Amino acid sequence: MSSSSRSPRLRVRTVEIDDPGPLAALLTRGDSGAWIRQGEGMVTFGQVIRHQVASITDADQWWAELAGTAVTEDAGTWDAGPRNFVDPPLPGSGLVAFGTFVFDPENSAAQSTMIVPEMVIGRRGGRNWQTTIGYGPRPPAARQHPIAPPRRSAAKPPRQVTYADGGLSGLQWQDAVAEVVERITTSSAGVAAAGLDKVVLARDLLVLANSEIDPRWLVQHLSTNYHRCWTYLVDGLVGATPEMLVRRESGLATSRVLAGTIRRSGDNDQDLALAAALSQSSKDLTEHEYAVASVARALAPHCSGMNVPDAPYVLELPNVLHLATDVTAVADHGGSSLALAAALHPSAAVCGTPTNLARATIAELERMDRGRYAGPVGWIDADGDGEWAIALRCGQLSATDSQQIRLFAGCGIVAGSDPAAELAELAAKLLPMRDALGPRC
């Protein structure tokens, strides 16, 4: 429901609790959500508000109004009960909303959504908390002490999983890559008036199972096996992304840029050689440079004291190696994490360069609706701090069939791209979700 349909003010209470155990194991059927990295983060239960927005900027304005009227309970407002309020506050404690945004609203039938949960259980720096949110004189069922999340049942893997091509087959996608390379080459030769430097071309796969595809199972698998990534479950979008679009915390803005990828071999010595080759690859370094430059340009009007490392490092994940750069800056006062995300999206890492031409090329050649793939996904608190990652290594669960999910992956295409090699890279990027779904039929 929209906040405009309710006149009472939101009331919020956060208390410190004992260690609840692995966060992913707390998830329940129904309206559960997750944001987990290296054992820390948050899981959510229920929905007080579900609000659809037209853009990230609209979401930022809506959230500022809602958070500005909410009442946060403290020890002085309670007549009885424990006084174990979280002090000092932890990032994510208190009033929060989770969101997931469409990559390209002009070329998508999907909708961007903000969700305020009824309950949040979180962990940060060895401390644990529970937040309850609701309307009325007090948050529901949180008057005296922390309450247990809804009863949960064991998550199970799907059975008899099969895959089918989405918008394009593998060969058709390679043809699209070749077309992009041709357009970039033509542009660089000066034939085209507006030069196309990079396009991130994605592909989808349709997954069918003979049993329910339980998002809890996917979250548990991804958060365990890809613990350096941000595992998320927001409004049916589930994945484990290695790329942080922007984090805003205590006035500091951070963005992790990934561009340039190679599949791991499984042999440590060979992987060291692959990492060295990746860090010296002119094709991958060029792709990475475009992505870093786009982030720095977008952040500059909203930040000061920006630090952009001279060279990327190699980020090691179980399935791939990435060229990575962490850009940091001091966020201007009053600019929320959503405002920064609006300025950054879409970056060259998921769209291309120049942005408008790359986005038009994507809409023309991908032959699919990306929906919320490659859009921002994450959370924001009442102070505007939060984390917004890029929705990569993910799948969108079907809203009408619990036995279906649609997977996505993409590759950055530049002048030196080889279609067959890009298809192999795309297959590597699909591995986290394919492994989580289990063996194919």
Side-chain angles (χ1 to χ4, degrees), residues 391-410:
L392 305 175
R393 315 293 196 271
C394 67
Q396 177 65 57
L397 292 156
S398 171
T400 58
D401 188 341
S402 64
Q403 298 179 6
Q404 293 188 25
I405 189 171
R406 188 172 167 226
L407 308 185
F408 301 87

Side-chain angles (χ1 to χ4, degrees), residues 38-128:
Q38 294 182 323
E40 297 191 335
M42 293 174 276
V43 289
T44 71
F45 308 92
Q47 298 181 8
V48 176
I49 301 173
R50 176 188 175 86
H51 184 70
Q52 293 176 345
V53 292
S55 68
I56 306 172
T57 299
D58 289 343
D60 187 32
Q61 295 172 349
W62 169 80
W63 177 246
E65 293 174 2
L66 182 69
T69 62
V71 176
T72 299
E73 305 289 358
D74 58 31
T77 65
W78 294 84
D79 298 328
R83 296 294 186 259
N84 54 341
F85 295 85
V86 177
D87 186 27
L90 295 166
S93 65
L95 178 63
V96 290
F98 290 75
T100 174
F101 293 91
V102 174
F103 170 77
D104 183 1
E106 295 182 2
N107 292 288
S108 178
Q111 295 177 315
S112 301
T113 305
M114 294 286 288
I115 293 171
V116 180
E118 292 179 329
M119 183 192 300
V120 180
I121 294 178
R123 177 185 295 120
R124 179 76 174 257
R127 297 169 63 195
N128 305 277

